[in-house]
Structure formats: C-alpha cells, structure tokens
Amino acid sequence: MGEYFSGIGKIRYEGPSSKNLLAFKHYNPDESVEGKPMKEWFRFSVAWWHTIRGMGADPFGPGCHVRPWEDGSDSMKMALKRIDVAFEFFEKLGNPFYTFHDRDVAPEGENLKETNNNLDKAVAVLEKHQKRTGVRLLWGTANLFSNKRYVHGAATSPNADVFAYAAAQVKKAIEVTKLLGGENYVFWGGREGYQCLYNTDMKREMDHLGRFLSMAADFAEKIGFKGQFLIEPKPHEPTKHQYDTDAAACLAFLQKYGLEKRFKLNIETNHATLARHEMFHELEFARANGILGSIDANRGDMLLGWDTDQFPTDIYLTTQVMLSIMANGGLGKGGVNFDAKLRRESFEPADLFHAHIGGMDAFARGLKIAAAIRRDGTLRKILAERYASWESGIGAEIEAGKHSFESLEKYMLKKGDAAPNASGRQEMIENLINEYIR
Ligand code: XUL
Ligand code: CO
C-alpha cells in the first residue's frame, strides 16, 4: 500500500491564530461544548461519490481532476485501490465516518449475481480498513439512478421488473450496511418523480414508493438491522418533480403510508434551497415534527440555481444549522455528511483537504457561535416574550383545550378587541446575531 497523498500529514488542530492552511483553526475534536465534545456534535462524514469518485465533470465537459492513482476505469482492481486511497484520506483528515452508494465502491457485473459478488469483495476490504482505522460507516445507500434500467425511476418505474430489481438491490445494500455496522440507511429517490404528467399515473407511482419503503423497513426488521432509515428530500434534478420534494412533503408521505415511526429525514442544504427554503426552515420543520435524523452539509451557488454541492463556508449558515441541531439535542445516530464536491477548477488532491478542513472549521465556528447565543439566552428570551400571552390567561386556557369558538366569541364580545401587538423586531434580532458572528 503506497502513499497517495504524499506531502500531507495528519491534519491537526492548531487554533485560531495558526496560519497553516492545512490545519484546523476551530475544529478541535475533543473540545467540549455544552458538555459534549465537538466530534460528537458533528460526527463528520466524507461522501465516497464526491471525494473518491468525483472527477469534476459537468454538463459541458468531462472530469479533469488530477488523481495520480486513477486509471479512470470501473474495474474491480481500481475499486479496491480506491479503498486504500479513501482510508488514507480519512486517517489524515480525521473524519470519524464515511458514506457510500453501493455502486461507488464496486462496479456492476454482467448480472445481479456478479454485481453482488463485486460488492461483497469491496465490502470485505472496507471492513478490514474500518477495523484497522476505527473509521465507521454513517450510512449506506443504493444508487437507483445511474444505470439505464432506472431511466423511468426505480420504485416508481412503470416497469414492474425494474421495481423488483431495485428491491433486490436495496436488500443487498441494507445487508452490507448492516455488515459494516452502518448507523443509518438513506433513500434518495433521484428518479422517483416525473418529467411528463401525460404519461404518469401519479397515484400509482406514489403507492409503489410507499410499498417499496415499507418492504425495506420490514426487511431491516427481519434481519435485525438497527440503523435509522432516512429519506433525503429534494424537489427536482434530475427529474422535473421529485415526490420527496421537501421535509413537509416527506412527512405527509410517511404519514399517508404509515411509515412515520420508521423513517426520519436526511436534510441537505442545497436541496432545501432548490425547494426555495432556507436550510434553517427544513431543519426547524423536521425538528418540530420529531423527524430530524441527519444532514448532508453543502451549499448551492445562488446565481447558478442548480445542485452545485459546494462545501459549506458560510458562517451564518452553519450558525443556523447548529442552532437547530443543538435545540434538537444533537443528531442522535445521524451526523454531518459532506455531500459536497470540489468545483471543477480545484483539481489537485490537496484541494480535497482544503475543502473538508474549511467545512469542518465553518461548522466548528457555527457551533461556538450557536453555543454563545444559547448561553446568553438571547433567542430564548425573545421567544419567551413574543409568546408570553400563551403562558397564562386565555392563551393557556386555549392550549389546555378549554375553549370552543362559542366561548372565544363570548370572551371577545366582552373584551371588545384584541390586545395590541408588539413589534417583531427582526432587524434588531439580526443585529444581535451579528454581534456573535466574529
Ligand atoms: C443527490 C444527493 C445524493 C444523496 C445520496 O443530490 O444528495 O448524493 O445524498 O444518494
Ligand atoms: Co445528499
């Protein structure tokens, strides 16, 4: 096993005054924040498809990233070599977790049997490296979108045989996720949607997706897989409309098919913005409904408008994300997975380190800022004051279910008009938050 990232050693915490661009200035894994080490707040994870397989291709040109170990093939030999590369990267970066799609780590064979054999070979090597390094699997997933058999979708394909193939593929992916001790299993329905309503039986497709997810949960239960199932919302791309549009659509879907106790959500920043939501909105919606499971950390480019999956560097964004995660008491089995890629122009191996270091430091700063806001009770006091009318009197009575429309009419006829409103003070609050972002 050679060294692939020569010249780059273990990335260490050197503190905010360090000028070393290959060191952490804020992410200090064992530093305690609100009684929990930073590494446990985040449970940082590296995404195999971007970091190990991404070559910088875009719709206008092929990959151009310089990866001296690559022969560019989808051979088994290359797949096994990439595992060595990946674990060297993980060991040097210090991420405790990684994530993968089945097809990221092993090539497809001539048929399902051969494909599964390839996956088994890769998984045996992954297992060996996990044992050697202590790096763990945050989640596994199945790629149900690249192969041309999935051209019309997987669980929502009009072709019943494609549904069956997808079920077999996910069964295998859950098995290997369990074998590798994966803490979650993710469903991102890249092609579970439509391009054209004239040829789409929407009700039937959604029923099939509901059935598919129920079968997955039943299978997991049967084999004793204890990981958390997660759905990853995204409104569109590659399809014009994806059924798992946003957190609210996912919740309605889960409730309709009786799956709300078995699934949580994996919320991704750039998917939130494609749905015209802030990440903060999606996180708060999921948190309010008890389904915040994990996050895919990245950001979009507001001027490009597609899923650019850039590394998160915006401290306002990471502060908001951490305010939500901390209010949730953490992410439980979930983590912060960098579903993020280098832009095409950043093509050297060292850029992979710079990108992840920047993302981890941006999250560490967000954590410290959110902790300071919480320590001062800044937002807590604002909320308490704003909702004070619900703490006693008529508000407390309504919340306790003691009123009807008739009794409220009686109350208001007597009072004559509602008590005056207070200002929302949005600008003042934003100014206050700015005081913490230094
Ligand atoms: C695609 C995306 C996926 C999922 C896993 O936009 O985010 O990579 O995270 O399938
Ligand atoms: Co994602």
Side-chain angles (χ1 to χ4, degrees):
M1 202 171 106
E3 192 183 12
Y4 300 102
F5 300 93
S6 54
I8 298 178
K10 175 119 186 77
I11 308 300
R12 303 196 187 278
Y13 172 72
E14 293 186 2
S17 58
S18 168
K19 297 276 176 275
N20 179 0
L21 292 170
L22 285 168
F24 296 117
K25 318 229 172 2
H26 301 276
Y27 176 61
N28 185 10
D30 294 312
E31 185 178 325
S32 173
V33 177
E34 291 193 10
K36 187 148 88 173
M38 277 195 189
K39 61 179 180 215
E40 281 174 32
W41 276 115
F42 300 123
R43 294 160 58 82
F44 283 128
S45 164
V46 171
W48 204 283
W49 53 102
H50 288 311
T51 297
I52 306 304
R53 302 304 306 272
M55 293 299 286
D58 71 12
F60 299 93
C64 63
H65 287 182
V66 177
R67 301 288 180 262
W69 54 85
E70 273 288 341
D71 65 12
S73 77
D74 204 12
S75 70
M76 198 61 223
K77 189 165 160 242
M78 193 59 231
L80 297 179
K81 190 176 187 187
R82 285 187 194 111
I83 300 179
D84 289 346
V85 174
F87 277 83
E88 182 190 323
F89 182 78
F90 302 161
E91 276 194 282
K92 288 185 168 172
L93 182 67
N95 53 297
F97 290 98
Y98 71 103
T99 52
F100 72 88
H101 299 84
D102 46 6
R103 302 301 175 251
D104 299 337
V105 296
E108 291 216 27
E110 290 294 314
N111 51 47
L112 182 60
K113 196 165 172 197
E114 204 178 300
T115 302
N116 285 348
N117 283 342
N118 289 347
L119 186 55
D120 286 337
K121 282 186 204 141
V123 166
V125 181
L126 289 168
E127 196 186 12
K128 212 174 69 201
H129 279 281
Q130 285 189 196
K131 285 214 174 99
R132 181 180 64 77
T133 60
V135 177
R136 287 142 70 194
L137 180 63
L138 184 67
W139 47 262
T141 187
N143 178 331
L144 303 179
F145 42 88
S146 295
N147 190 290
K148 67 179 188 309
R149 81 174 66 83
Y150 296 124
V151 64
H152 300 301
T156 63
S157 173
N159 178 345
D161 250 13
V162 171
F163 181 105
Y165 191 101
Q169 189 180 332
V170 169
K171 173 181 177 287
K172 181 71 182 169
I174 294 171
E175 284 166 351
V176 304
T177 299
K178 176 175 185 264
L179 194 148
L180 292 171
E183 304 205 4
N184 305 266
Y185 183 89
V186 164
F187 291 86
W188 170 63
R191 297 193 191 273
E192 312 295 25
Y194 63 79
Q195 295 288 5
C196 174
L197 277 174
Y198 292 131
N199 69 1
T200 300
D201 184 339
M202 195 193 282
K203 177 172 186 318
R204 205 164 195 178
E205 291 200 0
M206 293 186 75
D207 285 351
H208 291 170
L209 186 55
R211 181 175 299 271
F212 191 88
L213 296 179
S214 301
M215 287 161 75
D218 288 346
F219 175 69
E221 217 162 88
K222 196 164 162 195
I223 64 166
F225 173 61
K226 297 274 178 287
Q228 173 68 53
F229 273 127
L230 301 166
I231 292 184
E232 185 173 320
K234 185 175 181 180
H236 48 75
E237 201 202 87
T239 57
K240 165 164 130 167
H241 177 84
Q242 203 160 296
Y243 297 131
D244 302 330
T245 306
D246 62 3
C250 285
L251 178 63
F253 181 89
L254 291 173
Q255 286 173 336
K256 177 169 181 201
Y257 294 99
L259 295 165
E260 70 276 16
K261 299 263 180 303
R262 303 166 105 178
F263 285 77
K264 287 188 175 180
L265 301 185
N266 181 40
I267 307 278
E268 175 165 332
T269 318
N270 207 169
H271 296 178
T273 48
L274 287 175
R276 295 191 149 270
H277 296 309
E278 288 178 323
M279 179 65 164
F280 202 16
H281 163 92
E282 288 290 83
L283 293 171
E284 287 294 284
F285 181 87
R287 182 169 80 78
N289 289 286
I291 51 168
L292 175 53
S294 198
I295 71 165
D296 268 7
N298 60 22
R299 70 182 159 103
D301 183 313
M302 290 308 158
L303 299 180
L304 284 175
W306 44 297
D307 196 13
T308 58
D309 284 346
Q310 287 163 224
F311 276 83
T313 49
D314 177 349
I315 295 161
Y316 281 92
L317 168 69
T318 56
T319 298
Q320 292 176 351
V321 169
M322 290 318 297
L323 280 170
S324 247
I325 291 178
M326 294 178 94
N328 196 56
L331 287 171
K333 288 185 180 187
V336 174
N337 175 50
F338 288 112
D339 187 358
K341 62 180 177 225
L342 296 174
R343 280 161 286 183
R344 196 164 189 266
E345 303 77 5
S346 304
F347 50 73
E348 291 180 3
D351 291 309
L352 289 169
F353 282 93
H354 290 299
H356 285 88
I357 291 168
M360 289 157 91
D361 264 351
F363 264 88
R365 290 179 77 178
L367 173 71
K368 289 191 231 173
I369 294 164
I373 294 169
R374 284 161 59 84
R375 187 185 55 230
D376 293 350
T378 311
L379 293 176
R380 192 166 16 90
K381 284 180 211 152
I382 287 166
L383 281 173
E385 219 169 282
R386 191 152 187 252
Y387 291 87
S389 69
W390 294 91
E391 293 303 326
S392 60
I394 192 76
E397 288 166 22
I398 296 171
E399 281 196 354
K402 290 186 184 150
H403 278 282
S404 62
F405 269 22
E406 291 93 325
S407 69
L408 290 177
E409 181 193 46
K410 203 164 143 210
Y411 165 77
M412 223 9 108
L413 283 171
K414 190 163 165 222
K415 193 163 180 184
D417 201 353
N421 282 312
S423 168
R425 296 257 188 274
Q426 289 103 194
E427 291 74 10
M428 183 203 79
I429 297 166
E430 285 160 2
N431 297 347
L432 267 175
I433 298 292
N434 271 357
E435 288 302 304
Y436 289 89
I437 303 205
R438 293 169 198 276

